[in-house]
Amino acid sequence: MELCNAIEVRNVSKSFKIFLDKGHTLKEKFLFRNRRQYEERKVLKDISFEVKKGQGLGLIGHNGCGKSTMLKMLTKIMYPDSGTIEMRGRVSSLIELGAGFHPDMSGRQNIYTNASIFGLTKKEIDARLDDIIAFSELEEFIDNPVRTYSSGMYMRLAFSVAINVDADILLIDEILAVGDAAFQEKCFNKLKEIKAKGTTVVIVSHSLSQIEEICEKSIWIHNGNIKEIGYPKEVHEKYMKYVMEKRVEVSNKELLRKRESKELVTGSVTSMSERMKILDVKMLDKENNEMKIFRTNDSCKINISYDTSIESGRIYFIILIKRIDGVLIYSINMKNDEMEVVTTNAMGEIDLVINDLLMLPGLYFLEVVVQSEETGILAHNTQAYKFEVISMGNEEGIVKLDHRWSK
């Protein structure tokens, strides 16, 4: 094995017993011993990887895939059923922040207690004490009992201790959302600083952008196995594609189930005239499958079915696309497009094709209005159809603008 490796994981497997009906007291265990049935669930299956000194590694995957279990085995909170794990150097873990804090002790006293858990001597803690307190920004509260701290203050103090240990290997599990936005940025900058000094970092996170900023390698764990390993952006692109496909699949199954069981509830409908009723509003993909989730730049079709008792007349449909908080994204008015529907006292359908959905990720809804020049608004459905837009890009805002750079 190369001596420059800080972490070496070889053929590691881990399983847990999931009890279906377990007695908790000695009496229950004796009387109901035949009911102690369990199933063995294998969380990790023959996992192998290595991390070089000074390298950053991100562990990604859906909840329950085994990534946090892997991190706990690296910290030796848990041990594998088989395989070996070798760690070279002092290890600091930001997993259970504040583990070991005593509520009746002051913040200063808890710094000494918590830092000693990481292996620091009193002399080492004395040398770091001022830096820890300053980083936490809790100077005026540091001699108060920890039980008087807010949850945010508690986490800030715990993070400040863990980040100032000067560890060779730093293990992090979804704890970078500490305090307000300014403090979170400060924590992340500190993390990048200690990484630049040669600390090996392993991060479990759902924030792919954070991993891409600090790690040279990502591992996608799926159902206990390593599905992909490599450069973060390449691994994350495959992972996000999988996530989006699964979300679309689940959404469509739920949509089909609700339509078949007639549970689907449309938005609030106001009929200004009994002679015009909006029966249904649907959004379809290019294969005419009803969808609730679309990707940025997808094409789609809005289908509206209606019933009118107006024997002859001209009506116009208006479709408003709004963000979930009511902000208008775009209004499509049939009259402005010099189109109209000639009514014939019957049920009918009308389609609107959108070639390019330019909205960025978020929740949206359609609002449908039917009007005539003679009588004004005939029907109004305020939340006719709710849908979501997802994207693999990093754009921010509401809509995607076509653009190009030049120099």
Side-chain angles (χ1 to χ4, degrees):
M1 299 295 176
E2 295 182 26
L3 292 178
C4 62
N5 288 338
I7 303 172
E8 292 177 0
V9 176
R10 296 285 176 261
N11 308 112
V12 164
S13 295
K14 180 67 177 177
S15 59
F16 296 98
K17 290 179 179 178
I18 310 298
F19 284 88
L20 306 177
D21 189 7
K22 182 180 179 181
H24 296 285
T25 66
L26 185 62
K27 179 180 178 182
E28 287 174 340
K29 290 177 181 179
F30 178 75
L31 292 176
F32 308 117
R33 55 185 178 273
N34 293 329
R35 287 165 47 184
R36 289 171 53 81
Q37 299 179 16
Y38 66 86
E39 63 179 45
E40 192 164 295
R41 188 170 299 167
K42 205 156 192 178
V43 179
L44 292 170
K45 309 166 189 174
D46 199 31
I47 298 290
S48 296
F49 63 88
E50 58 190 34
V51 187
K52 298 187 183 302
K53 290 183 179 179
Q55 192 177 54
L57 172 71
L59 298 177
I60 65 169
H62 61 78
N63 291 331
C65 72
K67 56 188 185 296
S68 291
T69 299
M70 185 72 252
L71 205 68
K72 287 177 181 177
M73 287 194 291
L74 294 179
T75 63
K76 293 183 169 54
I77 294 174
M78 295 178 179
Y79 292 89
D81 298 333
S82 60
T84 61
I85 297 175
E86 188 170 353
M87 312 284 285
R88 296 191 176 101
R90 174 186 281 173
V91 179
S92 176
S93 60
L94 281 68
I95 298 177
E96 297 292 340
L97 283 181
F101 273 20
H102 194 291
D104 293 324
M105 293 169 61
S106 70
R108 189 185 303 273
Q109 291 169 324
N110 272 298
I111 289 173
Y112 279 90
T113 303
N114 203 236
S116 66
I117 293 173
F118 290 119
L120 269 65
T121 64
K122 184 179 183 300
K123 186 176 180 180
E124 289 174 319
I125 300 170
D126 288 338
R128 292 169 173 80
L129 183 63
D130 290 342
D131 290 338
I132 293 171
I133 295 173
F135 190 89
S136 70
E137 302 174 4
L138 295 172
E139 290 91 343
E140 60 180 303
F141 307 103
I142 200 64
D143 292 310
N144 295 348
V146 165
R147 59 180 162 76
T148 65
Y149 287 12
S150 68
S151 58
M153 294 165 65
Y154 183 94
M155 298 300 279
R156 285 165 79 147
L157 182 63
F159 187 94
S160 301
V161 175
I163 206 75
N164 282 285
V165 171
D166 291 343
D168 300 302
I169 301 171
L170 183 60
L171 308 175
I172 305 170
D173 188 5
E174 288 286 9
I175 51 73
L176 290 179
V178 180
D180 55 28
F183 193 78
Q184 288 177 33
E185 184 178 0
K186 181 179 176 180
C187 292
F188 194 64
N189 288 337
K190 178 68 174 180
L191 185 58
K192 290 192 287 186
E193 179 186 317
I194 64 174
K195 164 81 167 38
K197 291 179 179 178
T199 300
T200 304
V201 177
V202 180
I203 303 177
V204 168
S205 180
H206 289 288
S207 176
L208 304 184
S209 61
Q210 286 183 343
I211 292 177
E212 289 170 8
E213 194 170 345
I214 207 166
C215 296
E216 290 83 7
K217 183 166 63 174
S218 271
I219 294 177
W220 172 13
I221 299 177
H222 181 70
N223 294 335
N225 296 300
I226 292 180
K227 189 172 180 69
E228 293 286 344
I229 182 169
Y231 184 63
K233 281 190 178 293
E234 295 173 357
V235 174
H236 297 171
E237 185 175 341
K238 294 176 182 177
Y239 173 66
M240 285 304 299
K241 184 179 179 182
Y242 164 80
V243 169
M244 287 193 291
E245 288 173 350
K246 291 298 291 182
R247 287 187 65 189
V248 170
E249 180 184 332
V250 170
S251 175
N252 289 341
K253 284 182 179 178
E254 180 67 10
L255 187 63
L256 181 62
R257 184 192 68 79
K258 285 186 174 182
R259 282 206 174 271
E260 288 177 345
S261 61
K262 298 182 180 178
E263 292 179 22
L264 201 65
V265 179
T266 57
S268 174
V269 179
T270 302
S271 292
M272 311 302 290
S273 168
E274 288 299 320
R275 297 183 299 164
M276 170 58 67
K277 293 181 180 179
I278 299 170
L279 300 179
D280 198 9
V281 178
K282 294 183 286 190
M283 289 184 72
L284 313 171
D285 64 10
K286 56 186 177 182
E287 280 83 34
N288 282 328
N289 299 310
E290 185 174 1
M291 303 284 279
K292 281 284 186 179
I293 299 178
F294 294 87
R295 297 177 179 86
T296 301
N297 295 122
D298 271 358
S299 62
C300 71
K301 180 166 66 177
I302 299 170
N303 173 263
I304 302 170
S305 56
Y306 61 90
D307 187 7
T308 177
S309 59
I310 301 173
E311 294 185 2
S312 65
R314 290 176 172 81
I315 59 173
Y316 306 94
F317 284 80
I318 303 170
I319 296 177
L320 309 172
I321 301 175
K322 294 186 176 182
R323 199 168 61 184
I324 199 66
D325 58 1
V327 173
L328 178 64
I329 306 301
Y330 194 58
S331 173
I332 305 171
N333 191 322
M334 182 180 278
K335 186 177 181 182
N336 292 343
D337 295 332
E338 299 182 351
M339 292 282 292
E340 61 186 25
V341 174
V342 179
T343 60
T344 56
N345 189 21
M347 295 174 64
E349 291 187 6
I350 188 167
D351 293 332
L352 171 69
V353 175
I354 299 176
N355 294 319
D356 196 356
L357 270 178
L358 296 176
M359 285 96 75
L360 292 178
L363 295 172
Y364 301 89
F365 64 89
L366 302 178
E367 189 169 322
V368 179
V369 179
V370 186
Q371 67 177 20
S372 73
E373 288 187 339
E374 293 79 19
T375 58
I377 295 177
L378 299 171
H380 186 186
N381 190 328
T382 56
Q383 289 201 10
Y385 199 90
K386 293 180 182 179
F387 66 101
E388 182 179 1
V389 176
I390 56 179
S391 173
M392 290 176 60
N394 295 319
E395 301 99 336
E396 295 182 358
I398 301 176
V399 296
K400 183 175 181 177
L401 300 179
D402 188 20
H403 63 276
R404 64 183 178 86
W405 295 92
S406 64
K407 61 178 182 178

